[in-house]
Amino acid sequence: MRLTSGHLTSSVFLYLVSVSSPEHNERLQMPISDPNELPEGWEERRTPAGRIHYVNHVTRTTQWERPTRSAYELATMRSRRSAPQLDISRSDSPVPINASSSKRHRNVAPYRSSPHLNGLSPSLAAPSPPSPPTISTPANRSSSRHRNYMNRSALHPLPLPEGYERRTTPQGQVYFLHTGTGVSTWHDPRIPRDFAVPEEELGELPEGWEVRHTANGRIYFVDHNTKTTQFTDPRLARKLPQLHAEGQLPKYKRDLVQKMKRLRTELQSQQPQSGHCKIEVSREDIFEESYRQIMKMRPKDLKKRLMIKFRGEDGLDYGGIAREWLYLLSHEMLNPYYGLFQYSRDDLYTLQINPNSAINPEHLSYFHFVGRVIGMAVFHGHYIDGGFAQPFYKQMLSKPNTLEDMEFVDPEYYNSLTWMLENDISGVIDTTFTVQHEVFGEMKTFELKSGGAEIPVTQESKREYAKLLVQWRFRRGVEKQMQVLMKGVHEFVSPHLLKMFDERELELVIGGLGKIDLDDWKANTKLKHCSAEHPVVKWFWEIVESYDEEKRARLLQFVTGSSRVPLEGFKALQGSTGAAGPRLFTIHLVDSKTDLLPKAHTCFNRLDMPKYESYEKMYEKLTCAVEETLGFLVE
């Protein structure tokens, strides 16, 4: 931010330009945690005019203020509002300016502002705000008059919101202090968070300004006039009058397309503008050759434009060859034959990490490779051809697995645990806090807690038993594999970008929507208690035809548990009841109240539809079920 004070004493100038090197300040650049992480259940959105608002997916409401509490917590205490608080998410700080910086500020090309402009350094996360530098300066530097003078900005005609002060760290890093709460933030409170303007509208940086990147790729801006640095793009000030004149909050809306655009914008800003990532492999040994080349390259080189070549074949890669390479490679690296992954169930074609992958002594290196391939695919706008079980995507997002996730991997155990929790087991179940599992053909017993073999499961302790059993089922032997896999993913896609999505959306981000053949879908759909001429059936296909690819994939995912279709088409859809042969997509007309939502039974690939009175009502109910429900029914 450019200040109107204009003059610095020589002692201040020498202090700012003689700060230590970037290496010395590396600790200030390293994030403590995700700089843009919101409390659970919240999401950032942008209005058409660019102003940021926040979406509560639990109460389905929106607000301007950045939330500080979990959406689930607020849902239980809506009768009272918490006091407003500034964002204190932690991140890397703007890099302090050094002497060499002043030689590079001329003729700076315009740069699009980063979608994420807020965060705090370790020093600003402390209970008390950082103190100004101790320098020999005129006495009036500590006066309120001088402080107010220094807080003015020629670039920002609007005053700071009430209670805010603009301050500068000893290293020349601009931050804003809310004097009422004592909370500090790098983000200028006059500018809505995550506001982005097209580059052609931003224009040139003001004279004496320069754009740079922190060690982990975050954009910040250097003001050589005042020898300060900040995260907020100074050019955004030109849009302030328009933003502050904006009207009402937008209505709640779930929009995967908007999230994908935000993801693409962020990732494209990180791609090097020159150079190529050249990989040459043979089709016959694509797995091992790709592994050797990718693991010896640096992530920043793998972010360059992909140039894939199949040995012995001619052709220039403008994206098509890279897509084919990822298609073939994903088929190989996810093949259960190699022991890294296994099918989540014998009757379902989704994958999970093989807890016995350590039979290969190099398995962790291969999981790092798999993570890199997934990260590269997302970074370069491609997809992985292979579907994981939904609990796997929750683990990628660091979400805890629940009993409901068990239905995806072991329906029988899920039904048994559900019965146990819903009924009195006194004198019925005789077991201990242990579980038996087959390892390489040998049945072994594992304790769920210390001394579990001697602790009986009772009516009072059954919930603890179920919780520990679920944790054991999803964590047993896969913690290290998931850790190194996510290390590879995060080398290309930051955690805060992944956390924009829920587990079902993440499946679509990684695996793509695919092309759903409506004719094949119709030809291989079973009708129960209705005919093709029934209005509900006709309306169903009219609704499906009106959906875009995203919503069609969500509908398929809602009913079958996966957005992917077998290679043989809809005729090969598998159920999860253990019955031999395929189980077709089924529309089942039921006698229930028409104010209820449709129900999906993933075991049978069946959609239970009430007899809705009109197309409009059915469209509303089906769309709500597909977009807003968080779980599936299993019979």
Side-chain angles (χ1 to χ4, degrees), residues 559-576:
V559 179
T560 69
S562 175
S563 63
R564 305 192 67 81
V565 180
L567 296 178
E568 301 89 341
F570 279 87
K571 66 181 179 182
L573 275 179
Q574 298 293 317
S576 52

Side-chain angles (χ1 to χ4, degrees), residues 389-405:
Q390 196 168 114
F392 178 88
Y393 296 105
K394 292 186 71 173
Q395 291 171 318
M396 290 186 70
L397 296 171
S398 300
K399 290 185 176 181
N401 290 110
T402 62
L403 175 60
E404 285 67 30
D405 295 321

Side-chain angles (χ1 to χ4, degrees), residues 250-265:
K251 294 182 179 180
Y252 175 90
K253 182 182 179 183
R254 190 186 189 101
D255 192 349
L256 176 60
V257 174
Q258 185 183 70
K259 294 180 183 180
M260 288 296 295
K261 287 181 179 179
R262 177 177 167 187
L263 176 68
R264 297 297 339 142
T265 299

Side-chain angles (χ1 to χ4, degrees), residues 338-341 353-364 367 440 477 481:
Y338 293 103
L340 299 177
F341 297 91
I353 293 176
N354 184 354
N356 300 317
S357 63
I359 192 172
N360 178 353
E362 301 296 326
H363 70 129
L364 293 183
F367 276 108
F440 297 119
Q481 295 95 312

Side-chain angles (χ1 to χ4, degrees), residues 127-178:
S128 59
S131 304
T134 305
I135 308 173
S136 176
T137 57
N140 66 350
R141 286 200 176 266
S142 60
S143 69
S144 59
R145 179 182 178 184
H146 181 78
R147 183 169 61 250
N148 292 334
Y149 179 73
M150 290 294 291
N151 282 343
R152 296 189 300 131
S153 172
L155 293 176
H156 295 293
L158 294 178
L160 284 167
E162 184 177 357
Y164 280 94
E165 289 185 2
R166 178 186 183 277
R167 296 191 178 183
T168 307
T169 69
Q171 292 81 18
Q173 300 153 304
V174 173
Y175 69 98
F176 298 86
L177 173 69
H178 188 268

